[in-house]
Amino acid sequence: MAVCQRRGRSGRGPAAVRAANTLYDVPVSNNGARCRIVIYGKGLEDQIAIQTPSDAFGGLKEPGYLAVNPQGKMPALDFGGLCLAESETINEFLVDKFADVGPSFVAATPELRAKSRLASRVHDMYLTTIQGCMYKGAPVYEGDGGA
């Protein structure tokens, strides 16, 4: 875990417009959606802001965002200077930190917790690895001229 260096949009100067606790994410991110589900389900919208890295810093590879997540990936959470990356890690932190708020998001039995972890692992290993193809332009099919 790293302590975030709080910087503004350009990566220089104080972050006057950044909230103390912020999830950096975009609406189409499957991984970020996992974190948003916990934030919304526990009713933490008033305690954790959600911003895109572009709006907050100018992009994923800008120095300010790299201070939050040196990998330059999403999602990332800056929680009062504690920087966390990876949706599962972020969610485990939020579930622990806000255990007394809203639903627990922890399955009741070891068997159900194992199934929950399996679903998360399948998502991470097999779905996210191929989802990038959904966001790339497909080559135009020219056809065979009607033959």
Side-chain angles (χ1 to χ4, degrees):
M1 291 184 270
V3 174
C4 301
Q5 298 177 19
R6 295 192 168 271
R7 298 178 180 180
R9 179 183 169 109
S10 67
R12 298 179 297 276
V17 298
R18 287 180 48 205
N21 303 321
T22 305
L23 176 71
Y24 297 102
D25 179 38
V26 295
V28 297
S29 168
N30 289 351
N31 293 317
R34 294 160 72 175
C35 300
R36 292 190 309 273
I37 287 169
V38 172
I39 290 169
Y40 298 146
K42 286 187 163 286
L44 302 175
E45 300 96 316
D46 61 334
Q47 297 181 53
I48 301 172
I50 300 173
Q51 283 190 293
T52 70
S54 294
D55 288 345
F57 302 101
L60 291 171
K61 303 303 180 188
E62 294 297 322
Y65 187 73
L66 293 173
V68 175
N69 184 356
Q71 291 180 312
K73 302 209 178 251
M74 294 181 295
L77 177 69
D78 176 350
F79 195 86
L82 171 67
C83 295
L84 297 171
E86 300 296 328
S87 57
E88 192 162 335
T89 303
I90 293 167
N91 280 349
E92 288 177 3
F93 170 75
L94 294 174
V95 165
D96 288 345
K97 182 77 174 170
F98 297 97
D100 58 341
V101 177
S104 73
F105 285 98
V106 177
T109 67
E111 293 81 7
L112 291 174
R113 287 191 294 276
K115 287 182 177 185
S116 174
R117 289 184 194 110
L118 178 60
S120 179
R121 186 75 175 153
V122 167
H123 173 270
D124 291 347
M125 295 300 298
Y126 304 108
L127 296 178
T128 60
T129 57
I130 61 169
Q131 79 181 33
C133 68
M134 297 186 323
Y135 305 109
K136 295 179 181 156
V140 176
Y141 177 69
E142 300 285 334
D144 59 3

